[in-house]
Amino acid sequence: MSTTADLKKGLCIIFNNEPHLVLEKTFVSPGKGSAFFRTKLKNLKTGVIFEFTFKSGEKIEPVSLQTREYQFLYKQGNEFIFMNPKNFEQISLKEELLGNYRNFLKEGDVCQILTLEGEAVGIKPPLKVKLRVIESENAVKGNTVTSATKPVKVETGYIVQVPLFIKEGDFIIINTETGEYVERA
Amino acid sequence: MENIKNIIKLRSKIFDLVRIFFKKRGYLEVETPLLIPHPDPSYYTEVFETSKINGKRSFLSTSPEYYMKKLIPLGFQKIFQICKAFRNPKEIGPFHNPEFTILEWYRVNASYKDLFIECEQLVNFLCQEIFTKPKKNKRLKNFIKYQNILIDLNPPWLKFSLKMLFEKYADINLDEFLDFKKAKKIAQKKDYKIEKDTTCEQIFHQIFLNEIEPKLPKSKPVILFEYPAFLAEGARLKNSNPLYAERFEFYIGGLEIGNGYSELTDWREQEKRFKQSLKTRKRKKMKIFAYDKEFIEVLKSNFPPCAGMAIGLDRLIMLFVNAKKIDEVLFFPASKIF
């Protein structure tokens, strides 16, 4: 039987009858109280992220997720459609379950999809993505006093703040977790 | 490196300021042993046991409470101490180091409500003396910024009874909760798991941590007062309503900083609580040891009414240097040296 001692980032557990991914785990203990674990959980059916504090030693119910490579085909409504490149089987994932990564997916990208009993429940995003800048205004003079950055649009349509030297056509690296510019590729 | 040097200097300054604050108010600085034969039997903290001394088991003190209280019948009206305390945690977290620094003080003929005021005064005094440069905006006097939240430390702080908080945020009547059977039912209705060895304290704190603590205001310090009797610890029960204890805690910026109470002086009740705690320890398969009979004898000898307060100094320092983790204010955190 698993207990909170087995809780860790990336583990999938059944919580209130639904699969949840553990995003964070912190030890907390009131001065005059016993030990607890504060977790950040993501409901894999709805994409909702919330905090829950477990009693230390409480039983938990882990389930194993499968990771498989899929290719992103297109977006339909609020669903992202992926295809298994080996057997051409298609699978869809709700926009909410992609988190920030939804802003960085290009058609044709190969990514790691998490599945639970054949159903897609999440995606394992790479830490960084490389994207081309498709729109960039020249920095407005006088604007540099308050900020040395400007907004540009990348090929997925996402708008990000970058340093002034970035030009249209440049490739830039973006952190998928924070959604922020890292460096010029 | 520069940063850690500044923190070392600031710690030293805060220790000086704490001493100035208490000595000006007529408090005597005392020392009590850290290596002791009878640690606090509270069942929520595990102790570090060391090797035997004169054939007797010895432990590292989890709190100076009982030894400081033993000094009171000698006639001291006001005493304080800055010392280390040791608690063996299940895990090292962002707010816990197994060895940490406690500021503890006792005052004769005072109650928990007198301590509210002393805590407000201490924290404001420290803030003024640490940030000596006058603020451009006078209205921001005694404001600090912690984790991007501007906190107004000026008194009076916000004060909520636990009964009020449980009602407001968790829709629970705490009076009913005091019946363990009812508490279990309330928790199960809210989908919390109840197992065979789940205690009332665990249910209370799980609801508190999930439904109340995250909602506590952060722009002002918050005093939470009158804990249910099963969490009385060394506190006296309220005369007007013995379901609750004269115990409080205060939070600043979401950090739990201090705990205080009107001291329990009834030796029978104290002995009963020690025995009860040891029973729970046994059930939870924790270390078992004898409770401090000498302390019970001290209570029998006309122990005066008094109040006592303990503050986690490392946490208070975290607040003043805007540290997210306790490790940032320690030079040699356990996570690094072990």
Side-chain angles (χ1 to χ4, degrees), chain A:
Chain A
M1 198 63 180
S2 297
T3 70
T4 49
D6 305 302
L7 271 177
K8 59 170 190 264
K9 198 176 159 176
L11 185 75
C12 181
I13 57 169
I14 299 297
F15 179 78
N16 289 341
N17 303 318
E18 288 191 344
H20 286 73
L21 193 66
V22 179
L23 303 178
E24 272 174 38
K25 171 202 162 193
T26 320
F27 172 77
V28 291
S29 175
K32 301 273 179 198
S34 41
F36 292 85
F37 290 104
R38 177 160 282 168
T39 59
K40 200 180 249 181
L41 301 177
K42 181 180 181 178
N43 183 321
L44 292 177
K45 288 248 157 96
T46 62
V48 174
I49 294 173
F50 58 96
E51 282 191 342
F52 185 78
T53 304
F54 291 91
K55 295 180 282 286
S56 170
E58 196 173 321
K59 290 187 184 76
I60 55 164
E61 203 182 320
V63 280
S64 56
L65 292 179
Q66 314 247 288
T67 314
R68 209 169 284 155
E69 265 187 4
Y70 278 80
Q71 192 173 26
F72 173 52
L73 294 181
Y74 56 90
K75 192 183 162 197
Q76 188 174 50
N78 74 339
E79 305 242 308
F80 281 67
I81 315 294
F82 298 86
M83 183 186 70
N84 182 333
K86 281 179 195 142
N87 59 14
F88 312 117
E89 178 202 324
Q90 289 185 14
I91 202 165
S92 73
L93 200 54
K94 268 197 217 118
E95 191 171 2
E96 301 83 67
L97 293 175
L98 289 160
N100 238 350
Y101 192 49
R102 77 183 82 160
N103 297 313
F104 309 116
L105 263 180
K106 292 197 309 288
E107 287 167 13
D109 277 355
V110 173
C111 36
Q112 304 287 323
I113 298 285
L114 302 169
T115 58
L116 180 66
E117 288 156 4
E119 207 180 316
V121 291
I123 193 162
K124 222 184 198 170
L127 191 61
K128 290 169 185 170
V129 286
K130 181 172 142 186
L131 291 168
R132 196 164 57 91
V133 176
I134 57 161
E135 261 180 58
S136 161
E137 288 169 32
N138 286 327
V140 185
K141 255 192 189 167
N143 200 17
T144 52
V145 180
T146 48
S147 70
T149 62
K150 62 175 181 178
V152 297
K153 195 193 252 182
V154 295
E155 54 193 306
T156 57
Y158 182 70
I159 292 171
V160 60
Q161 290 289 330
V162 298
L164 299 178
F165 60 79
I166 297 294
K167 299 185 303 292
E168 204 173 299
D170 281 353
F171 280 92
I172 59 169
I173 307 285
I174 297 174
N175 180 319
T176 58
E177 221 170 293
T178 61
E180 284 167 7
Y181 165 89
V182 181
E183 60 188 353
R184 182 156 60 178

Side-chain angles (χ1 to χ4, degrees), chain A residues 16 25-38 51-60, chain B residues 44 87 90-91 93-94 96 191-193 195 198 201-202 205-206 209-210 213 231 233 247 256 259 261:
Chain A
N16 289 341
K25 171 202 162 193
T26 320
F27 172 77
V28 291
S29 175
K32 301 273 179 198
S34 41
F36 292 85
F37 290 104
R38 177 160 282 168
E51 282 191 342
F52 185 78
T53 304
F54 291 91
K55 295 180 282 286
S56 170
E58 196 173 321
K59 290 187 184 76
I60 55 164
Chain B
Y44 46 77
R87 292 181 191 171
K90 291 220 163 69
E91 209 162 297
H96 296 88
D191 282 333
Y192 292 107
K193 275 193 189 138
E195 289 161 7
T198 303
E201 175 275 321
Q202 283 178 308
H205 276 124
Q206 192 171 27
L209 291 169
N210 276 302
E213 198 199 58
L231 284 170
E233 293 309 310
R247 185 189 141 211
E256 179 195 337
N259 173 74
Y261 35 76

Side-chain angles (χ1 to χ4, degrees), chain B residues 48 61 85-89 91-92 96-100 333-335 338:
Chain B
F48 288 107
S61 166
F86 302 84
R87 292 181 191 171
N88 192 351
E91 209 162 297
I92 294 178
H96 296 88
N97 198 54
E99 171 182 347
F100 60 104
S335 64
F338 287 101

